[in-house]
Structures are given as C-alpha cells and as structure tokens.
Amino acid sequence: MSSTAPTEIPTPLIPLLSLLSSAFLTLQSLFHRIPGSPIIVRYIKSSYQDDPYRSLLEVLLLAFAVRTLLQRRTGGEAEGKSFIKLTAKEIDELVDDWQPVALVEEPNELDAMILPTVPTIYGPNGIKVKTSPTGKSLLNMVTPNWTGLVENERLKQVAVETLHSYGVGTCGPAGFYGYIDVHMDFEQELANFIGTESSITYAQGFAAVSSCIPAFAKRGDIIVADRGCNFAIQKGLQISRSTIRWFAHGDMADLEKVLQSVERDLKRKGGKLTKKFIVAEGIFENDGMLLDLPKVMELKKKFKYRLMLDETYSIGMVGAHGKGLTEYYGVPAAEVDMIFGSMASSFGTGGGFCAGSSVVCSHQRINSSASVFSASLPALLTTTSSTALSILLTTPTLFTTLQSNVLTFRAQLSKLEAVPSVPPTSSPRPSLPVLPSSASSTESIPIGAQTPNKDAIIQIPSHPSSALMYIFLLNPPSTVEEEEALLQDVVDEVQTNGSILITRARRLRGQETFEPEPSLKVCVSAAMGKKDVEKAGQALRAALVKFCSSE
Amino acid sequence: MGKSSRRSTATSSTTPSITPSARSAFFNSKSTPSPSVSEQKSARTSLINVLSRPRPTSAVSHLFAVSNEGFSPFDDDFDLSDQSTISSYASSISSTRHPSAEDVAQLYKDYLDKPFVNIKSTFKHSEFGHDNNPNWRWTSQWNPDEPIHPMVEIQPPYYVLLTTYISYLMFIVLGHIRDFFGKRFVPAHYAHLMSHNGYAALNSDFDSFYTRRLKKRIDDIFSRPVTGVAGRSIVVYDRYSNDEQDTFQYTGGKTRALNVSSYNYLGFASSSGGCADAVEVAIKRYGISSAGFRLDASTLDLHQQTEKLVARFVGAEAAMVISQGFATNSTTIPALVGKGCLVISDELNHASIRFGVRLSGASIRMFKHNDMKSLEKLLRECISQGQPRTHRPWKKILIIVEGLYSMEGSLVNLPQLIELRRRYKFYLYVDEAHSIGAIGPNGRGVCDYFGIDSREVDVLMGTFTKSFGAAGGYIAGSKELIDRLRVRSHAMCYAESMSPAVLTQIIASMGSIMGIAPPLASPAEEESDSVSIVSRHAVYGPAPASSLPTWLTLPTTLLNGTEGRERLRRLAFNSRYLSSGLRKLGFIVYGHRDSPIIPLLVFSPGKMPYFSQMMLKRIGVEKTPIVVVVVAYPATPLISSRVRFCLSASHTKNDIDMLLRACDEIADVLDLRYGKQTMTVDEVIASAEELVAANF
C-alpha cells in the first residue's frame, strides 16, 4: 500500500480544485459579512452535533416547502403516471380529431312520453283547475294541497300586505342583509309549531334537504338510509361522501340488522368514534308509506344514531294539527335531531326548512351551501307560511276532514287491492313496490294469499292516513315503457270521463339510485267535497278495471 | 340650449336643476383640468358617448345651461332633483337652502332623539333615489381599449401582507389557547364539539375552529337582521352583545342606512310602483303558490309566459325557470354531464356550480381565474390525454364560467372564450347570476355587453334574485336542450314550482327593461335618446305585447322601456364612477370598472369589523349610515379580505359621493390606501363624469 496515496491528486484536477477552494473562500467571506451569519453557523453546527437527524429533517422540510410553493395550484394530473408527453403537432391533430357527443342526447321512449303528457294549468292552481283556456274544470288530484291552503284567501291577503312592505325578492343571502325580521319570526313560530328549539328557512324545499345532509354528514361518517328515500335525500347522501348503508324500505327488522352489522364493523376496525345518522322520511315521497317512528327512535337511541327525518309530506298532513309524524306518534319532536320539510307541500306557500336544536340550526347558517350561497326566501312566502301555521293550529277539523276524504277514496279502490285492509302502521312488507327487484315477488305475497282477492289488479303501499297515494299495478306489462303507456291511458281516461286530474309518478329514470316502478300518483285534499272524492275514486276504479284487468 | 334641460324620462315632474355641490364640483374640475382625461374622452365620445349621454356640446356648457335655467331657489322640490337623501334629517337639511347653524343643530338633535324607525318610509325615495341629471348616465358596453381582465393584479405593500399573515397567526394561536382552557374550565360551552354519551360530536372541533374563533369575534358585522325592502336604503335592527357575540340583544331601535350591499342592481326590489302593483293583481288572481312539481300539474300558463319572455330577453330559443337560484345550477349540471364527461371550471366559480358538478359524477378540472392562456393549455392537455388512465376521448367537455364574479367583480373574457370554443369544440355554460340585467347596453348580460350572439353560448344560466328583484333562476338555450332538461333536471321533476307572485315580478321587471312593443303611448320626449327601443339590435328588441299576460297592466314608463333604460344607464354610471373614484383615492379595487360589484381590498382581518362599524355608525351632520358587506376567508383567499359594494340604479350620484367620502374618511383611520392616491375626494366628486368617460 503506497504511503502517498491519500494525498496524491491527479495533476489535471489541481487548477480546478484551487478554483473551487477560492470560490468557497469568497462565498464564506461574503457569508460572514451578512449580519447575524455567525449565529446561523453556530446553530447549524451545534444542531448537527446534537442531532444530525434534525438537520436532515430540516433540509427536507425546506426542500418540501420550496416544492410546494413552486407547485401549480390548478395543475392537476399533468405529472401523473399515465401522462403521455405529446408534441404540439400531435396535440393539434388530436384536437382536430376529437368530436364530442351532442350536448343533449335524443330522448328515449320513456322520456319522450313525459313532456306531451304534462298538463298546463290555465289560471290559478287549486282544487278545481283548467287544463285549457276554455276547457271544463277538473278535480286536481295531483298537487299537494292537503288542507286547501293553496287557495286560501287569508294567505293572499297577507301576501299582498307583505308585498307592500317588503317587496318580492330579498336581493341577497341571509348573510348579506337578506335575513329579514319575518324570517326570524317565522323560524321561531315554526319551531314552536313542530316542537323543536329552533329552525332555519331555505328558499326551496328540495335544496334544503339535499344541502342539510352534507352540512352534517362528512367523509368517514356513517349514514344508514331507507332504500325508498326520495331524490333530494339521495342527492344529499351523494354529496356528503359518507359511508352509506341502505336498509330495506320500511323494514325495521332490516334496519336493526344493518345497525348491528355497522356496529360490528366499527368494533372490528376500532378507531375514532364517528358520526352516525339514520335518514328516513315521515311519509315517503316515492310511495306514501309511513315510517314506524317509535321503532326508529328506539333503535336510534339503542345504537346512538342521530335521526334525519324528512317530513316534507307528513307535516301539514298527519297529526291532529298537522305537526307531522312526531305528533302522529306522540314522539317529542325535540328528540329527532333534524326535521326537514317544505313549506310548499305543507303550507301551500314556498320554501323549505330544517328544524332542530339551536346548535343544529346555527351550524347550517354558516355551513349549509343552499343557505349560505342562495338568496333568502321572499318575504311574502315567509309571512304567508306564518299565517298558514296559525290556520292549521286553529282549525284541527281540516285534518279530520282530510282523513275522512282519504278513507273515502281508499274505500273505492279497496276492491281492486291485493291487500284491502292495510295495517295502521307500515309493518315490514315482503314486497317493496318501489324497488324493481321486488316487482317479480309481488305475485307471491303471503299477505295477499291470506286475504285472497281474485279481482286484485293494483297495490297501494301508501299508508291509510296518507293523503299522498301511489297506485302500483299488480300484474304490470313486461316492459316499463308499456306499463307507463298503460298508466297514461288510465290518466287520460279519468280526465276525459271523470274530469279528474291525476298523473303518472314522474321519475328521473337513469338518475335515481334505485329505479322506482311506474305508478300513478293521487293526492287527496281536505278542501275536496266528499262526493267529489267518492266520484273520483269510482272513476279511477272504472278506468283501472277497463285498462288493467283484461289479461 | 333649452333642449339640454329636457327632463330625464324617469319618473318625476320636478324641474331639473343643478345642486350647489355639483356646481362647485364643476368649478373645481375647471380649475384643475386633466388633459389626458379630456383627450381620451373625446376619442370615446365618437364611439359610445353618443349613445350614452345626450349632451349638446360639452359638459361645461350643459351644466351652465341647466343651472341657469333650472336652478330655482324657491322650488320646493329642488332637493329631490338629484340628491334625495335617505335619512330624515339630511333630507330636511337639503331642503332648507341656507340652514342656519341652529337649524342644523336642532335637526340633528331631533334625529338623534328620534331615530328613523318606521318600516313604511314616510320619506320620498327611500327605496329608489330620484336622479334626473342626464349627464349622470352611462352605457355599459365593451370598450376594446380597456382590458377585460388585468393581467397583473395590484399587490399591496409587503408589510401589509406580512401583518395580515401575522394577525391570522395570532388569531389562530389565541383561539387554540382559548379552546384549551375553555374545554377544561367551561366544558358546557364545548358540549357540541365533544363526543358524549356514545355520540360523536356533531360539529368537528377542527372544522368549526375558523367559525368559532375567528368569525365569531366579529360576528356582529355578519347577518345583521333587517326589515323592509332591500332598496336604496335598508332598515337594520340595532343589536349588541354581552357575551362575546354568542347571542345578540336587540335594543328595539332600527337604523335606516344607505344600502350598498344588496343585489338590487336595477332597483326593482320595491314595495310599491308598477311591478308591485302587477304582483298584487297576480296574487289576487293566482294565489301565492303553484303547489307541486312542474312535471306533475304545477305548470301554470304563467310559467310558460315567463319562460317565453326570459328566452326572448336573453336571446335564446327557449328557457325554463327554477324556483331557486342555487338549485338552478345544482340540479341542472347533473342533467347535462355525467361519467366520461369533463367539466372545466373557473377556480372561483360559485358553490352551486361545484355542488352540481359533484353530483354529476363528471371529472372536473379547474383553470386559473379568467386566465384564457391557462384554459387553453388545460384544454389541449385534456383533449390530447383523454380520460385519466384509459386515455379514451372525453364524451364531451363543458366549460362553466360566470359572467360576472360575485366576489371579484371581474367579467368573463367571453370574446376569447368564444374563439377557443370554435377551436376546441367544448360546450359553454355561462352563469349570469350577477351579470344578467346588470351588464350590457340592453341589460342582457355579458353577451350583450361584448356584442356576442347569445347563441354562441350553449347554456345560459341566470337568476332573478338580483336585477329583477324576484327569486329563482333560469336556464336558456336551444329548444332541444331545454326540452331535454325539462325531463332530466332534478328541480323540474322533484322541486316546487315557482310562485305566481315571483313569476309576475319577473315578467313585470323584465318586460320593463325590454320595453313592450307596440308601445301603448309614445314615450315622453323620446327624441333625446339615440338609443330608443326601436333602434336597438333586433335580437334585443322590445317584447311583443302578446308576451305579457292579458290581465297585467304596467305604467307607461315601464311599458315603453324608458324606465328600464334609464335604470340601466344609471347603474352603469354609478358602477363606473365608484370603481374609478375608489381607484383614484388610492384603494386597491378589484374587478372591471363596468361591474356593479366593487370589491375594495382590506387585507387585514382586524380592519374588517372596524370598516363595517364605522360605516354603520357614521354620526354627524349629513352622515347617513351605510351598510356594507365584508367578506373574508373562506369566501375569498385567506389574505384578501374585502369590503364588497353592490351598486344599484336606485342610488343617486349623491349617494356615491357620500360613499366615496365615507371611504375616504375611513381610509385615513384604518390605513387602507394600499395603492397610490392620485386625486382627493373632492376632485373625484367634481370630475365624476370625466372619470367615468376615461379609459384606465
């Protein structure tokens, strides 16, 4: 081993090294001239001595900070693995070649059937409507007008008064001087009416529901939802990005099973306690079934879930004063964590709301998109809603009339039903007409077998106290298109022969989480005469028999 | 010169007159002429001024003519001509031509003793100011000499940025200290943030930190409850807090303040007048609800009439209306795009757009705000790369932009977007929530402003909340598109239909902007205007009389479009004047000068509450309270907290003067002149017309 080896430097490198060392010295002297530099040097030296890993970490952090700063904010996937580098010419060619599909595709057969069958109402909407400027008036059994508030003269009077103090629009969201005193008053009145601590109004019922849910449920939270939930809830769930577990529509046993399995999963995984919600509707928009609230409350408490209850249809329809499902079952509304609703369907005015504790409501004022980023509800829709509340509170006869009208109507159809006497609460049903998968099992209903009804051609899953009814065919044609066409024939028939306006249930096929079966939608109102309701029932029965019984 | 004193065709029969302040203003401007301004002005006169102002020779002679002829010291209505003021005392002062010191003191005392509390204003013009000086008008139209969007944004000095960051840091540190001790000593206050009894906390401690610890400290400047119409002025409830803004107590008092916060661009929010009367008739005729879903049986004839009128208004084949503005975006976008489609969205797009895109399941990419270069680069990348991983071509690409950005006041660069659209074959969705009715010589939004055929935009979206004083929104486009959306949009199938009262407000206000042909009566002294409704571009012509419901009657000034046009031109003047004035005063102001939304940058979060409170609590003679909107993170980037003024046609020049003075006063106290001040506030007020006409 040569003794000179460690110090030996190849001759060509000597000038380079001397240059390097002189450069280093210059840098060093420059560095020393900076005020405070000795402190930095001392710090680095000592920190290196004490903890070399820390120095390394600091350098890495610095590098990371620089990288983050330099990174483009909106760059996205340009650096991704699958990114292919292309020349400008290639890109030009690709751009030239690319042909987008049309912005809107041609409507399919089902969609094409919708618009021509949508009636136009000439003049005011209400119990009696005209679908042509000169035509005869029809009994409107389509719009939610449970207590006849849509045509209430007192509401009109209040609206005009409000108009002359507040104008129409509020010209801004609640945060930007759009929160008017009438909103404050109504929110308190509504909370008192339902029996919660507080409430918050929205400019639209649909937006209220779909925006309230994601205001609370976030990624990582657990939502157990009824499969029959309406579209607004489906969209809210989608936005929330929470883990969603479905339970069979109205099936409390299945709900319990799902809750147990979630609990098992959580136990197995361990980890942090997450928010858990049960989402359901009071009266389901898709089929008029009534939620077994006491059972849900029991399960919710047992498994420590919060309940989001959409009472868009039940408020203003069921309960002695129309306070909804909580009044119907005598469950304290304050125990339900969030109650959603719509003034449009409940009080014949407009807008939506969420009722709950003051924590729940004030959270939404800042965190619910449809509340923060949307103009507040027009004053005249708010004051009329207030008036509607007082009308409902002082006229409980409205609800007895409504119930008797519903019974009258159902009685006319019961001969055609597979299960003529529907139990008072929606007990677990083996068949779920809302869901396509259950359609085939419809024929083999055990309950139907218990009370054989040879003439049965329809099934009405709606609860007997629900003024919102859906009529499903028991033996539908093989395709959805044929079924819809058949139902449309029924609709047309009752319109021409019975002067009654009903409709096929409108669906957003292709966009629904679970495709509902075609059905007919019928709404009964307390403002309808008993005779009219009876006649309507007869007319509908005749039409159903005419079109659907001939196999 | 008699011609020049012709009345504004607006509303009143008062004699046009020039106020002492405006006269002194004129003298000021004469003594300090700005050569560059006048040069630019003459260049512009040839193009647009002809359309925008009926001035015979020059502003100078015109003012003289008016002042000589119209200024009548004994005219009782003198004060109403162009400076109808808001608060009681101020209005009384200006009607006394030479108020003695005692008078002023007495009036002021009266004011302080008995603040204005009545909802029903007994004073004239509390909802809509009367301003009949024809020089204070402008036409909102694209001037190719002015950049649509500034390439470089004005930056504040570094010390401002630094102190802003430091104050946020302090807020955060203090907040955490308070949380730390609070949770241990007053756990009751934190109950909703901690899990209890097996329930996880409803609000995450971390997520709500900003709200609890930063927003709450200044909560009294947000969500102030109001009453009455959000017009030129608004009545705010007085409140105070004893528990660090946890709850508010109401004193029972109310303050009427100048409203530069509501989106009442054309001043159609009003409780009386032609539109309100029409709505009253509609309520009596139709009730207040059309109850139910549009596709069931809640499509009224009124809906169809409104939709036809809207389509005509925006220059599209067809339109549909939806009962909420937010829902218009959030329920329509998912009906347009889905899996395999790409949405390219401006990074500052509204929450409703993001909501809708998230529901749609389409891929989303964002481009830098209003930066067409960044957009083109992104387009080239997206089209050439195709879908991620599979590299299959995108089914379609939808670019979503806003016409006028509500937090920035910036206008979309539509001309360039249209050019890009031809090359890259994407579909264009323009959200005109703020621009419709507020921008363009005919008020038809950005297409009108830039002179672009609105059929070049595939989907036109807008709202009625703002310029039309109503509620809800619309989607307009080809008939094929709208027919498809009617059966696919969530709102059409599952959301409540629009109330007849709201529909009528839309028809009445929109009809009066368009003018109804044939006019039932010839407009008063119409010859003064070179932009009579007849000569307008055919697309934006008056609506046929058949487009109004037969039972609807409107006053003549609304019917013939005079009122609507005046409002458009007043709004354009006000916007340009305030925006230019604030710039000259040395503020950093974002956005386009034609935008009625004018964000004034405050930066430091600590200055926000002071700004808002000092504006509201302006006490002193002729110091009317002003309500302003302050916006901070998360609605804006962390550092650029701002005050946002939304102007209206209901504001008079006097109101803007007052606002400028108020800002000027506050700027000295709060050190807000981050830019370079080039004019004093008196100079700005004096040369209002020159500032508006100038390019800069």
Side-chain angles (χ1 to χ4, degrees), chain B residues 133-148:
Chain B
N133 186 331
N135 286 335
W136 296 337
R137 303 286 190 271
W138 188 254
T139 299
S140 157
Q141 193 164 23
W142 183 38
N143 171 7
D145 298 341
E146 279 183 50
I148 297 170

Side-chain angles (χ1 to χ4, degrees), chain A residues 32 43 119 122 134 202 224 236 243 328 440 528 537 546:
Chain A
H32 282 303
Y43 171 77
Y122 289 82
T134 51
Y202 284 77
V224 177
T243 312
Y328 183 87
S440 54
M528 290 170 183
K546 180 175 169 190

Side-chain angles (χ1 to χ4, degrees), chain B residues 500-523:
Chain B
V502 175
L503 291 167
T504 311
Q505 170 77 15
I506 295 166
I507 294 184
S509 55
M510 202 169 255
S512 54
I513 300 170
M514 299 166 85
I516 304 298
L520 297 184
S522 67

Side-chain angles (χ1 to χ4, degrees), chain B residues 127-377:
Chain B
E127 289 175 7
F128 193 87
H130 178 58
D131 187 340
N132 66 1
N133 186 331
N135 286 335
W136 296 337
R137 303 286 190 271
W138 188 254
T139 299
S140 157
Q141 193 164 23
W142 183 38
N143 171 7
D145 298 341
E146 279 183 50
I148 297 170
H149 192 67
M151 285 303 109
V152 242
E153 247 161 28
I154 326 145
Q155 287 296 326
Y158 278 108
Y159 80 91
V160 175
L161 291 181
L162 200 69
T163 48
T164 305
Y165 278 119
I166 290 173
S167 27
Y168 273 109
L169 193 72
M170 276 168 58
F171 281 131
I172 290 166
V173 170
L174 280 176
H176 279 298
I177 292 173
R178 292 182 66 169
D179 271 4
F180 180 82
F181 287 107
K183 274 182 194 164
R184 278 151 188 82
F185 294 111
V186 271
H189 278 202
Y190 292 82
H192 64 291
L193 298 174
M194 298 197 264
S195 43
H196 62 98
N197 194 17
Y199 287 91
L202 187 58
N203 305 337
S204 138
D205 186 355
F206 178 76
D207 287 351
S208 66
F209 181 81
Y210 179 84
T211 319
R212 286 181 299 116
R213 287 297 169 213
L214 280 84
K215 183 181 171 283
K216 190 153 228 180
R217 294 177 73 111
I218 52 173
D219 223 16
D220 81 307
I221 62 170
F222 299 114
S223 307
R224 288 192 183 119
V226 298
T227 184
V229 175
R232 177 195 184 199
S233 68
I234 196 164
V235 178
V236 187
Y237 279 87
D238 297 336
R239 60 177 184 180
Y240 62 94
S241 177
N242 289 330
D243 49 2
E244 296 184 342
Q245 333 239 8
D246 247 354
T247 55
F248 287 100
Q249 278 73 44
Y250 293 91
T251 62
K254 298 170 198 168
T255 307
R256 185 171 278 276
L258 178 71
N259 179 12
V260 283
S261 305
S262 297
Y263 308 130
N264 177 28
Y265 299 129
L266 292 182
F268 279 112
S270 75
S271 59
S272 55
C275 291
D277 293 342
V279 174
E280 181 179 339
V281 176
I283 291 172
K284 288 181 177 154
R285 203 182 166 90
Y286 281 92
I288 38 173
S289 171
S290 46
F293 311 145
R294 281 293 296 279
L295 289 185
D296 284 353
S298 294
T299 301
L300 303 183
D301 48 354
L302 205 51
H303 284 107
Q304 294 178 335
Q305 283 160 343
T306 311
E307 286 171 346
K308 271 189 198 135
L309 191 68
V310 170
R312 212 184 159 87
F313 185 85
V314 299
E317 250 175 45
M320 64 181 202
V321 294
I322 288 167
S323 53
Q324 189 200 28
F326 183 92
T328 310
N329 273 329
S330 69
T331 64
T332 301
I333 296 172
L336 277 174
V337 286
K339 257 194 155 43
C341 303
L342 175 68
V343 172
I344 298 183
S345 160
D346 190 292
E347 61 177 346
L348 296 182
N349 271 351
H350 192 251
S352 56
I353 297 175
R354 281 181 255 158
F355 198 101
V357 176
R358 260 171 70 183
L359 281 181
S360 73
S363 296
I364 177 145
R365 298 292 296 269
M366 292 204 273
F367 66 96
K368 196 161 167 281
H369 174 53
N370 234 348
D371 185 342
M372 293 300 124
K373 284 212 180 96
S374 145
L375 172 63
E376 181 163 14
K377 204 170 149 222

Side-chain angles (χ1 to χ4, degrees), chain B residues 5-82:
Chain B
S5 73
R6 77 175 54 92
R7 267 177 241 141
S8 140
T9 35
T11 47
S12 155
S13 61
T14 54
T15 317
S17 55
I18 191 75
T19 67
S21 70
R23 269 202 301 173
S24 63
F26 154 65
F27 286 122
N28 283 349
S29 73
K30 201 180 152 196
S31 57
T32 54
S34 158
S36 65
V37 167
S38 57
E39 245 169 59
Q40 284 163 336
K41 193 182 69 193
S42 64
R44 194 151 159 68
T45 307
S46 58
L47 228 171
I48 290 156
N49 276 4
V50 186
L51 301 176
S52 58
R53 342 165 144 187
R55 63 168 69 188
T57 46
S58 74
V60 176
S61 60
H62 179 69
L63 282 181
F64 264 126
V66 173
S67 57
N68 288 342
E69 192 181 312
F71 180 62
S72 134
F74 301 105
D75 188 347
D76 277 344
D77 272 335
F78 151 64
D79 63 299
L80 299 174
S81 62
D82 49 289

Side-chain angles (χ1 to χ4, degrees), chain A residues 72-78 82-84 86 88 91-92 94-96 98-107 111 114-115 118-125 142-144 150 155-156 159-160 163-177 179-181 184 203-207 210 216 231 235 238-239 241 273-275 285 300 304-306 313 344 348-351 359-360 363 366 369-370 373-375 378 380-381 384 501 503 506-508 511-512 521, chain B residues 120 192 195 197-203 211 223-230 234 237 250 261-264 269-271 276-277 279-280 283-301 304 323-324 326-327 331 334 336 347 350-351 355 358-359 365-366 377 380-381 383-385 389 391 393-397 407 423-425 427 458-459 465 469-471 480-481 483-484 486-490 493-496 501 505 627-629 631 644:
Chain A
R72 280 186 305 156
R73 251 189 312 162
T74 51
E77 296 143 12
S82 65
F83 188 82
I84 300 168
L86 297 162
I91 293 177
D92 279 336
L94 282 164
V95 167
D96 290 337
W98 181 63
Q99 278 306 331
V101 300
L103 181 57
V104 284
E105 68 272 35
E106 285 291 308
D111 286 349
I114 296 178
L115 277 185
V118 173
T120 306
I121 310 290
Y122 289 82
N125 210 338
V142 180
T143 47
V150 167
L155 294 194
K156 288 186 195 175
V160 170
L163 168 73
H164 289 306
S165 307
Y166 292 89
V168 178
T170 57
C171 287
F176 298 159
Y177 303 95
Y179 189 47
I180 320 177
D181 47 1
M184 261 196 290
Q204 192 193 53
F206 183 91
S210 58
F216 294 101
F231 197 78
K235 292 296 121 180
Q238 192 187 337
I239 282 280
R241 293 175 173 163
L273 188 61
T274 53
K275 282 175 274 180
E285 183 180 317
K300 155 199 143 66
K304 312 252 184 233
Y305 275 69
R306 291 189 172 89
Y313 289 90
T349 55
V359 171
V360 162
H363 177 77
I366 313 161
S369 337
F373 298 106
S374 165
L380 62 87
L381 294 178
T384 46
L501 193 62
T503 182
R506 310 290 181 180
R507 305 291 179 202
L508 292 171
Q511 298 186 70
E512 310 253 2
K521 177 181 175 181
Chain B
K120 285 257 184 193
H192 64 291
S195 43
N197 194 17
Y199 287 91
L202 187 58
N203 305 337
T211 319
S223 307
R224 288 192 183 119
V226 298
T227 184
V229 175
I234 196 164
Y237 279 87
Y250 293 91
S261 305
S262 297
Y263 308 130
N264 177 28
S270 75
S271 59
D277 293 342
V279 174
E280 181 179 339
I283 291 172
K284 288 181 177 154
R285 203 182 166 90
Y286 281 92
I288 38 173
S289 171
S290 46
F293 311 145
R294 281 293 296 279
L295 289 185
D296 284 353
S298 294
T299 301
L300 303 183
D301 48 354
Q304 294 178 335
S323 53
Q324 189 200 28
F326 183 92
T331 64
L336 277 174
E347 61 177 346
H350 192 251
F355 198 101
R358 260 171 70 183
L359 281 181
R365 298 292 296 269
M366 292 204 273
K377 204 170 149 222
R380 292 175 68 83
E381 180 199 317
I383 296 175
S384 62
Q385 296 292 325
R389 297 217 338 274
H391 292 287
W394 295 103
K395 283 187 196 154
K396 54 192 167 194
I397 296 179
M407 289 296 160
R423 170 88 180 87
Y424 294 99
K425 293 169 278 192
Y427 298 108
D458 300 281
V459 190
T465 323
E480 190 195 4
L481 170 83
D483 278 351
R484 190 77 191 116
R486 276 184 209 283
V487 297
R488 281 183 57 84
S489 164
H490 307 166
C493 188
Y494 285 124
E496 68 207 59
Q505 170 77 15
V627 290
V628 297
V629 163
V631 229
R644 190 186 62 169

Side-chain angles (χ1 to χ4, degrees), chain B residues 431-484:
Chain B
D431 174 343
E432 294 218 65
H434 287 269
S435 51
I436 194 73
I439 292 285
N442 306 297
R444 314 296 168 86
V446 282
C447 291
D448 185 21
Y449 180 84
F450 289 111
I452 287 168
D453 187 347
S454 52
R455 280 164 297 186
E456 299 257 16
V457 178
D458 300 281
V459 190
L460 290 156
M461 177 269 169
T463 63
F464 304 119
T465 323
K466 281 93 183 180
S467 303
F468 307 101
Y474 68 83
I475 298 280
S478 67
K479 185 170 183 305
E480 190 195 4
L481 170 83
I482 299 302
D483 278 351
R484 190 77 191 116

